[in-house]
Amino acid sequence: MKSGNNAEQDSVDSFCTARASLLKEQVIKTVFFCTAFLAVIVVIFILLFLLRDGYPIFGEVGVIPFLFGMTWAPTAMEPLFGIFPLIVGTLLVTLGAMVFAVPLSIGCAIYISELASPRVKQALKPAIELLAGIPSVVYGFFGLIVLTNFIRVTFDVSSGETWLAASLLLGVMALPTIISVSEDAISSVPHEYKEGSLAIGATRWQTISRVLVPAALSGIAAAVILGIGRVVGETMAVLMVAGNAGIIPEPLWNILSPVRTLTATLGIEMGEVSIGSEHYSALFGIAVVLLVITLVINLSAVAILRHLKQGRTSASARKPLIPQTMIESLIPFAKAAGLVLVLLFLLIAAPWWLTALALLAGGIWYYAKDRVSEKHIQTIAFCLVGLAALIVLAILVIILQDIVINGLPAISWEFLTQPPKDLGRAGGIFPAIVGTLYLVLGAIAIALPLGVGAAIYLVEYTREGRITKVIRSGVDLLNGTPSIVFGLFGFAFIVLYLNVGVSLLAGQITLALMVLPTVIRTTEESLKNIPQSLREGSLALGATRWQTISRVVIPPAVPGIVTGAILSIGRAAGETAPIMFTAVVFSSRFLPDSIFEPVMALPYHLFILATNVPGSSTNKYGTALVLLLLVIGFYAVAIVIRTHFRNKTRG
Amino acid sequence: MSEPAIISTQNLNLWYHEKHALQSVSIKVPKNRVTALIGPSGCGKSTLLRCFNRLNDLIDHVKITGEITLDDENIHAPSTDVVTLRKKVGMVFQKPNPFPKSIWENVAYGPQVHGIRNKAELDRIVEESLRHAALWDEVKDRLHDSALGLSGGQQQRLCIARTLAVNPEVILMDEPCSALDPIATAKIENLIELLKKEYTVIIVTHNMQQAARVSDYTGFMYLGKLIECGKTAQIFEHPKEELTENYITGRFG
């Protein structure tokens, strides 16, 4: 009798605990859902606030005059708000950057995936990651000091701050994106295609050019689109070298004319505009236009890549998003159009020696086409592809050595531990170093829990469906948003609307929103890498979902999550645009007392030194070097962790 | 084997990393006959096959000693051009691997990379090769559709047609039917029967019935060694080696 009572009691107890744990599971799930949905909310808020502040200008000027007006003169006696020259400037800079970057990147990608020996590959890949890790303000600084000077001397013009300089610099910045994505696309072409082609007796180059590259074409297209997205959204580098005259080049192909992009306009004018004025509203109008352009670009790239991934996993869905036949039928047109453009350029604009050279090359090609053996074509092609890789490497070396050699003399104990004097010409950068660390640590402290929570929700709690689709689109949109747009949003929403003021906190939140997609993605990746059998093993023992996640799934995923977090810190540390209007001051002798005070930051300090303070040469280079080392240091730690644990799991 | 050999190896050794994958293999492959290589998985039969068109070159850490001759020329000699070699020695793979291009382009790819540009000539080669591979009637109305839309068996015959289009002397087949259903397999086997009039076929298979059905000669390999090689009937009915007998009678495998 007694024992029976006990048993009853037990079952009641276990029923209660079961209910309690069920409730707990429900609560946990809801919390994760909220973190995941935050990405969507942020996107909506960004759109709302840009539109709210930008709307008046569309009302006053009208959409068409705003978009197609020929003059941008916001501070004139009778201000004009036509952004057409800015749109054209953005397009031209992007076009130039792609003309330079696309052939170089594809050549380099082919070299890495097909020709490089494993050892060379191991050296090249980190080099390209390094190129991606250099902060844009450091690129801008290098461009301003070295590149524009080079152009000024070479072309004998009065100023090197030109369309050409902007395109070259942004082309370099787009290289790592295009190289890594297209290398990935070429490497993941099934090995059987390669064997099949070689077994027929095709040369390696024929196999590459006629089988591998065509099979990877949509991946390469996505890579180029992502590169374009990067270029269109770039602010700091372009504003430092483009000359920023709001004109359409005259004639249109005059690459030595200064241009002004949409992003540069925001970067230059946002700091000086009076809040609530027509000009202020026009700047937000520009941000809306910019956001729409970059979103369209990035979403199309994401769509292509996602489709490819699905095609790779399920054989039935091999049909590409853009039908292969369509791409291929477009090729002859593209070729013809390219030829016509080149001819026009040669006839109208090019100097005579270039025309002669091109005609000569064309003549040789026409003559030699059918007379040269495949072997020789292969040798020439391999040389060109190798040259592309070499050029990319050389660019990296040139930039690094310039900054290291000129920056090292500035580095001293005093430089690292003293506040700046004489507008940064003398003294140190201590407050800027501390400010940057405060900013990124705060940003990651905010972004990490939110991002990890969102990733856990996406991977562990839901099946793919409508909700995940919405959330993923939100993350993609956030990822494609230019950093200057985050800056404007942070200013309008956090600084003004929430009345936080220009402060450390506002900067931290803005940066956190910016790196959120990176954290979500890397966490998602590392969670997906945990084998399903582990989860099943735990669930089969009667563990709840949360127990399984917290004890079985997350521990082995920690290295991946940490890597993602450190990469995000590195990225945040180098950013200028998002903190420019939300968190920083140029000169401060003191460290902030609370999170409601503004701070100094390395990237912004470098930007001001480089553009507004003449005669601070050593300290500029010193600041650039410290910033570079800081960012690269974060990346290096992340890479070391990644390789360490990758080797470990491989055993 | 008294018939004239087209490919022969002498003391062929191959190491993959530390693994001694082929151990002093000496084999003569007679011309215009079907030779089957059988043996349990991992015995080195595919590796041997891939030596004949030097496809092992693609793999890192492979070391080869010994001699392989094709038409009495050493294929590892420095003067040998792999591209020419592979033109002479075609290969059909385990899993059908058509390129993600149209049917026509798949077949025309070989002739094109070897310098034929004339459209009419290419059309002729494509039709002839597809007829040869017994695929023409099934695909003649949709030559410009993607090859990936074909069934597995059709894809494999397309791969054979692709190989024939280059007009090789030898065709290597690496378990060409292992990914196919019985009907498609029967079609490929019939095709092999026809092919031996003009080509030398070397086929790797783990299906002994298939070896018995399609081949004139059979080599049995075990743990990297060629245990026995001879006329198919002799190997299957009166094997000389005990190992061969045990394998064929299903005592291990």
Side-chain angles (χ1 to χ4, degrees), chain A residues 287-513:
Chain A
V288 171
V289 173
L290 183 65
L291 189 64
V292 169
I293 296 176
T294 49
L295 292 191
V296 169
I297 292 172
N298 281 296
L299 283 186
S300 50
V302 165
I304 293 177
L305 284 177
R306 188 157 291 161
H307 196 87
L308 277 182
K309 218 174 195 175
Q310 281 168 2
R312 228 173 266 155
T313 42
S314 64
S316 58
R318 273 248 180 90
K319 214 172 162 197
L321 184 66
I322 308 169
Q324 200 78 25
T325 45
M326 195 179 104
I327 300 184
E328 272 163 19
S329 66
L330 283 177
I331 285 174
F333 289 106
K335 272 185 184 162
L339 199 68
V340 168
L341 274 180
V342 169
L343 280 179
L344 270 179
F345 175 74
L346 287 175
L347 280 176
I348 305 169
W352 64 270
W353 53 268
L354 197 64
T355 316
L357 209 67
L359 284 178
L360 192 68
I364 291 176
W365 169 245
Y366 189 77
Y367 174 80
K369 200 167 65 173
D370 293 322
R371 289 173 179 76
V372 181
S373 74
E374 286 297 335
K375 267 263 154 74
H376 289 123
I377 293 181
Q378 165 157 306
T379 313
I380 296 167
F382 281 5
C383 285
L384 288 177
V385 165
L387 187 68
L390 210 62
I391 292 175
V392 172
L393 209 59
I395 291 172
L396 177 70
V397 171
I398 291 172
I399 295 176
L400 288 186
Q401 73 130 47
D402 180 64
I403 287 169
V404 171
I405 288 181
N406 292 302
L408 269 183
I411 308 289
S412 65
W413 185 244
E414 194 216 343
F415 185 68
L416 296 176
T417 56
Q418 295 294 314
K421 288 180 205 136
D422 188 17
L423 287 176
R425 289 188 191 94
I429 52 169
F430 182 64
I433 297 176
V434 174
T436 290
L437 289 177
Y438 279 173
L439 279 169
V440 296
L441 293 179
I444 205 66
I446 299 167
L448 193 61
L450 294 176
V452 171
I456 289 177
Y457 180 78
L458 285 173
V459 178
E460 305 292 334
Y461 278 103
T462 50
R463 275 162 220 272
E464 297 298 315
R466 196 172 294 163
I467 295 178
T468 54
K469 219 171 206 174
V470 170
I471 294 173
R472 265 177 232 280
S473 310
V475 176
D476 289 338
L477 288 173
L478 216 50
N479 196 42
T481 305
S483 56
I484 187 81
V485 173
F486 279 107
L488 258 69
F489 169 71
F491 183 70
F493 180 62
I494 304 165
V495 173
L496 294 182
Y497 186 78
L498 298 181
N499 209 7
V500 176
V502 173
S503 62
L504 184 54
L505 181 64
Q508 287 168 337
I509 297 175
T510 312
L511 283 176
L513 297 181

Side-chain angles (χ1 to χ4, degrees), chain A residues 192 195 197 201 206 210 375, chain B residues 50 81 97 101 109 113:
Chain A
E192 293 90 49
E195 288 197 333
S197 171
Q206 285 172 326
R210 308 184 63 150
K375 267 263 154 74
Chain B
R50 292 165 69 99
D81 177 23
N97 61 346
K101 297 167 181 272
Y109 177 77
V113 299

Side-chain angles (χ1 to χ4, degrees), chain A residues 31-32 35-36 442-456 516 519-520 561:
Chain A
V31 169
F32 283 135
T35 58
I444 205 66
I446 299 167
L448 193 61
L450 294 176
V452 171
I456 289 177
L516 191 61
V519 177
I520 295 178
I561 298 173

Side-chain angles (χ1 to χ4, degrees), chain B residues 139-164:
Chain B
V139 300
K140 64 183 174 200
D141 300 324
R142 44 169 174 156
L143 287 176
H144 295 283
D145 289 2
S146 168
L148 301 179
L150 297 175
S151 74
Q154 288 173 326
Q155 288 191 0
Q156 194 62 300
R157 275 178 285 149
L158 177 66
C159 291
I160 294 176
R162 192 173 70 183
T163 309
L164 298 180

Side-chain angles (χ1 to χ4, degrees), chain B residues 149-213:
Chain B
L150 297 175
S151 74
Q154 288 173 326
Q155 288 191 0
Q156 194 62 300
R157 275 178 285 149
L158 177 66
C159 291
I160 294 176
R162 192 173 70 183
T163 309
L164 298 180
V166 194
N167 202 15
E169 295 173 24
V170 182
I171 300 173
L172 309 175
M173 295 190 170
D174 188 0
E175 302 190 18
C177 304
S178 64
L180 305 182
D181 62 66
I183 295 172
T185 302
K187 282 189 179 162
I188 304 267
E189 286 182 6
N190 290 338
L191 183 58
I192 294 173
E193 191 64 35
L194 296 174
L195 288 177
K196 76 177 178 190
K197 286 179 199 145
E198 291 169 56
Y199 308 94
T200 305
V201 177
I202 310 177
I203 177 170
V204 161
T205 174
H206 55 208
N207 177 338
M208 277 177 288
Q209 285 74 32
Q210 184 171 59
R213 279 195 302 267

